[in-house]
Amino acid sequence: MKIAVIGTGYVGLVTGTCFAEVGNDVICIDNDQEKLRKLNNNQVTIYEPGLEVVYARNFRNGRLSFTDDLASAVLKSEIIFLCLPTPQDEDGSADLTHVMKVTDRIGDILRENKEYKVIINKSTAPVGTCEKIKAILTEKQVPNFDVASNPEFLREGFAVEDFMKPDRVVVGSDSEKALAVLRELYEPFVSDVNPLIEMDYKSSEVTKYASNGFLATKITFMNDLARFCEKSGANIDLIRMGMGADNRIGKRFLLAGIGYGGSCFPKDVNALIKTADDMDSPLSILAEVDKINKSQRKHFFNKIKDHFGGDLSGKTFAVWGLAFKPDTDDMREAPSVTVIEMLLEAGASVRAYDPVASENARFYLQERITYFNDKYEALPDVDALVIFTEWGEFKKPDFANMKSKMAQHTIFDGRNLYELKEMEAEGFNYYSIGR
Ligand code: NAD
């Protein structure tokens, strides 16, 4: 099938690459010239395990190409995906500027076109967006098209795996013809146990927000409970095991930490709150989730501050992990940035190491902190180590080596990486979450 993917970021690049991998002809479009230059020169623009190999194979055999020529790509393709940013606007809503601007241009390009096209929105966008897209294209008198919603559920760090073997694919449309195209397109990816689920536009759009809202709530419930554990003397890790063994609850998304971040959960929770408020049907549980999540970062900072008697001026901290989660270089809404800002504000200095995210972190933290290429190089003479990301390489470090470098043997672990008994035996002052 001939596919155009508009927006070649985390979602667009993975989508385009994986569709090419199963034999489709895919043209990825972007307006970022630097991104296109890299992608046309055998350079993958994001860190995503497994992506480089699949990209290289399909780029070489010509099934995957990259361009800024929207008109030519749209005219050549039957299927047109929108994978555009929908960032948070000032009032919390999803900013649809990119989606609407591109739809407008597609309308102009397809005005005279007779061949059938399906325009599929994969960007996370509020209920009613597909109807707006359809209205724009109808007003532009595009003769032969349908619109569909196909929200993306991939997880950064597992994006290729999630795309190739999704738990489910959700598609929404008012057109049986469009749904038939999507059925054929996704046939290589779905099965009886990992189904394609068909619905109307609106339900499809809400399914995406409902999923992210629910997962954010699950994480936040555990973080809130972790604070209660700190007061009551219970251990959140043991409680998690006790709860997770119940099939109705499930084991996943129960890890306490410094709160969720990333490019999706924070903005999607806020967008759903805003849409629900606008419709006079408030989802008040999510408003509380957002509030608790934000305060979890402050709670973690306060632990650090309290340990040093309220005065952090002149203190030096090593930081392990900057990315909002492991196996990604994505720094959007990373809790590390908020807490590091608090440390700097309090007069401390920071020596940071992340396996892949330092370059992106510079956008947020510039040269206000020092970056290192090795986790042990960040440690000399520090007053404490702060862990923000549960990268695999932090899980079994050489504690003796760490102690020989650090001025004080104190660790603030935002991800509960180590056993309490082990830390006691190693002689660290060890602070974690909810234990
Ligand atoms: P991104 O910022 O990584 O990528 C968006 C791309 O669109 C960028 O490369 C940008 O240059 C390009 N772009 C912007 N305006 C353009 C235009 N007019 N023409 C051509 N290209 C243009 O964003 P992302 O993380 O891929 O997210 C895209 C959408 O998918 C968002 O709605 C997001 O909420 C949703 N989503 C993201 C994830 C994720 O894990 N990142 C998961 C599921 C859904």
Side-chain angles (χ1 to χ4, degrees), residues 6-12 29-32 35 83-86 98 102 122-124 152 154 156 208 263-264 267-268 332:
I6 309 174
T8 313
Y10 279 85
V11 170
I29 300 102
D30 210 282
N31 59 1
D32 180 335
K35 202 170 267 192
C83 299
L84 292 157
T86 49
H98 299 282
V102 170
K122 210 177 231 319
S123 315
T124 304
E152 183 50 61
L154 62 77
E156 287 181 15
K208 172 66 193 175
S263 67
C264 293
K267 82 170 171 67
D268 292 350
R332 291 177 283 187

Side-chain angles (χ1 to χ4, degrees), residues 47-295:
Y47 176 82
E48 193 57 64
L51 181 63
E52 210 162 341
V53 177
V54 192
Y55 151 86
R57 184 161 50 229
N58 290 282
F59 181 59
R60 263 200 314 270
N61 68 25
R63 277 205 299 264
L64 181 64
S65 60
F66 302 92
T67 182
D68 63 354
D69 187 348
L70 180 68
S72 152
V74 162
L75 288 168
K76 276 187 205 154
S77 308
E78 181 190 8
I79 300 169
I80 298 158
F81 274 100
L82 308 181
C83 299
L84 292 157
T86 49
Q88 188 173 317
D89 218 336
E90 275 165 18
D91 61 0
S93 65
D95 176 357
L96 292 180
T97 313
H98 299 282
V99 173
M100 293 308 154
K101 238 194 225 165
V102 170
T103 302
D104 223 54
R105 283 205 57 208
I106 294 175
D108 293 334
I109 294 163
L110 294 180
R111 210 188 283 262
E112 307 290 326
N113 173 78
K114 299 279 179 293
E115 283 159 32
Y116 179 67
K117 309 278 177 187
V118 195
I119 291 87
I120 303 166
N121 184 35
K122 210 177 231 319
S123 315
T124 304
V127 60
T129 302
C130 277
E131 281 181 347
K132 282 186 191 157
I133 294 172
K134 187 172 172 181
I136 291 174
L137 298 177
T138 305
E139 198 186 311
K140 298 248 173 189
Q141 298 179 339
V142 174
N144 192 6
F145 77 98
D146 280 312
V147 173
S149 154
N150 171 217
E152 183 50 61
F153 298 99
L154 62 77
R155 296 163 298 164
E156 287 181 15
F158 299 88
V160 175
E161 190 186 325
D162 284 351
F163 200 96
M164 296 304 290
K165 293 184 198 139
D167 287 344
R168 82 311 205 177
V169 173
V170 170
V171 293
S173 185
D174 60 353
S175 153
E176 178 48 41
K177 192 172 173 184
L179 290 172
V181 170
L182 279 157
R183 241 173 262 142
E184 189 185 340
L185 179 66
Y186 275 109
E187 206 227 15
F189 303 94
V190 298
S191 68
D192 289 347
V193 275
N194 303 328
L196 180 109
I197 303 166
E198 298 178 18
M199 53 185 82
D200 58 279
Y201 299 136
K202 287 187 174 177
S203 304
S204 169
E205 288 164 336
V206 176
T207 301
K208 172 66 193 175
Y209 282 104
S211 301
N212 277 1
F214 185 77
L215 292 172
T217 304
K218 219 174 160 185
I219 294 171
T220 304
F221 179 82
M222 293 310 283
N223 287 336
D224 212 17
L225 197 66
R227 294 192 211 173
F228 172 69
C229 288
E230 287 169 8
K231 290 270 183 212
S232 63
N235 181 328
I236 194 74
D237 276 355
L238 301 176
I239 294 165
R240 170 175 56 84
M241 285 191 269
M243 287 170 67
D246 183 332
N247 282 334
R248 293 170 305 174
I249 296 172
K251 291 186 171 54
R252 297 170 70 188
F253 270 76
L254 294 180
L255 286 167
I258 37 174
Y260 59 78
S263 67
C264 293
F265 283 5
K267 82 170 171 67
D268 292 350
V269 165
N270 279 305
L272 184 52
I273 293 170
K274 179 71 169 76
T275 311
D277 282 350
D278 288 349
M279 293 182 175
D280 208 12
S281 179
L283 286 162
S284 39
I285 191 167
L286 288 181
E288 204 55 36
V289 164
D290 181 53
K291 203 171 96 194
I292 294 167
N293 188 60
K294 283 184 181 129
S295 67

